[in-house]
Amino acid sequence: MAKMVRDGNGGGQLTEALPQALLLEIMARLDLESLCSLAPVCKSLHSSVSQRISVLSTLDLSEEISSEEMSSLHNTRLKNRALASKFQDISPTNCSLRRILTDNKSLQNLILNCRWLDDSSVEVFAKESIRELVLLRCTRFSSYIFTAIGKCCRKLRMFTVEMKQVNNEPAASYNKSVGQMLDRCLCLESFSVKLYSDHDYFCNLWSFQLTIPQTIKVLLLRPISDLHAKQFICNRGVGGSDAWLAGVSMPSSGPMIYSLRSLTLVVSQITDELVFNITSNLHHLVELCLEDNPREGPSLQNDLTNRGLELLGSFGKLISLSLTRGKKSLTKFKMVNDVGILLLAEGCGRLESLRLGGFAKVTDAGYSSILQCCKNLKRLQIWNGLLLSDLTFHNFAPTGNLTEVRLVSGKYITSEILEYFSLCENLQVLDLSLCRNIADEGLNSISRLCKMTTLNLSGVDISDEGLSTLGGGASPIETLNLRGCKRITDRGIVMMLCDSILRKTLVTLDLSYLSLSDIAIVAVAEACTEISNLCIRNCFFISDASLSALGSPERTRGKRSLRKLDLFNCCRLSANVSRMVSHPFFCGLRWLGVGKTRFFSEGKDAPEELLSTKPGLSICAIGCEIGCKDGWQHHEGGVIT
């Protein structure tokens, strides 16, 4: 075969000799990041890449989507497309977004991380062709975004946005802009808005004067006051202010959101009256999610009681139900006991997903009634069930339906419960975080689950022997959380990864708050071929040797490179941190947590110098959890100090 000579065009002769159809076929098999890497090689590839990008109908320009963010999309079609066309860790700037989308006339579905975008970018992505739009982590957008989208995207069917209030813009501006958008997007079926602000008055954003299109089937509003929630649901008072006390449903003139099938509200307080208004007016509802976060204990007249749960049970149409009191709240649902849960369970036999959080007086009798009555249950989540114990599951007949179980902060949960879950052959997600009586003997049971991909054991009482058992099992775990398991040492991590299936399956690993040394981290770096997210915050004995092993160019050969690395309070790291993560080390790194380290010891210019060699990198120095999932609304930009 004749030898091809590379010329100044970077291999242009070779690519120009290939048929255009073949080039386009190759491009169709590459993700966006790979396409962007090919574009500068030569004119031929640049042309092919531009042509390929211009005809994409589905595009995901977000960072990795968590399970909570994915569930908030409320749209099965877009969920599937997002997973199929995932372009990970792309967080575009105004300039790069313009390059990607300007020539695209076919785009219909877009998921966009907006942390570096402002109002000037709206004209780029708000295309007439857009049908489904998800905007995440918007820290620089004003209320203008709603007006612009309503003007340009008249055929929009699904819209999801999470954004922070900018420059103390008044709530009235948001209310007006949202109203203009809803008046113009007459095909809208799903509308989800999460707004974040430091001011309480912002919960008054949603005025009852807003007209919700009758086409809306999925609605999410965060936050909203109790009064405005009632006005939304009842169409300015339908049902009467006191009718719920008598249990009488007043005739309705047709609420504006009568056709709703899914409703999510984050309110100041969940009450029986709110539940009555929902069950009396929204007759097609099959998914309901209510969350509150009261600052002080509510009175009997202003809290959820057994009466409210009885109303939900008599409604009888729900497939998915979530009732939670926020994690930051100092109060619990003290007016609900086993009777209320029993009344709920008896009427909600169709439930496939149930999440309960903050029910302080519900015992095993109430929780077990759910398992007995809800035979189709696939997802069960109980947060802060103070009286929940193993007895709930004693008469539990395992079925193949359960795919997700989360029992968080159950102080009476022991290893015995894992025997029951080991019989759930389709279980994929198991979260037992802060169930401190879980010990090593239970891991032998769940290690046989062949479909389990997510396991959260943070704060439980397991040791090195338990990790050895877990590593020798058959579970293809992709996400493993061992945070705060204080009996785990370097030896346990090494044994877990020795000849284990986890070497090829682990993608996300949390080893925070453990007494680990470089031995454990080097073992992870050498053994785990797919690891992309690693959290080792507050590991005080980690040194530069761990960074060298994790970021060396040799490690990335045949292995996935790290995308997110949390080093918060790893105080033994030297002042060379910025140099050790600069090019050519840690290729592909997108997020770095360096709070309470010596990262800034070399001067204030060190972060800027690092970002110049890694333009897609974000550096967080304020202690956010990995990826800033818990604090994106409190800062913006690439360097956070």
Side-chain angles (χ1 to χ4, degrees), residues 269-271 296-305 335:
Q269 195 164 298
I270 301 174
T271 64
E296 55 186 25
S299 63
L300 175 62
Q301 291 77 18
N302 293 307
D303 199 7
L304 180 67
T305 70
M335 304 297 179

Side-chain angles (χ1 to χ4, degrees), residues 622 624-625 628-635:
I622 65 174
C624 291
E625 291 291 345
C628 293
K629 287 186 171 64
D630 66 332
W632 63 267
Q633 65 271 27
H634 302 304
H635 52 64

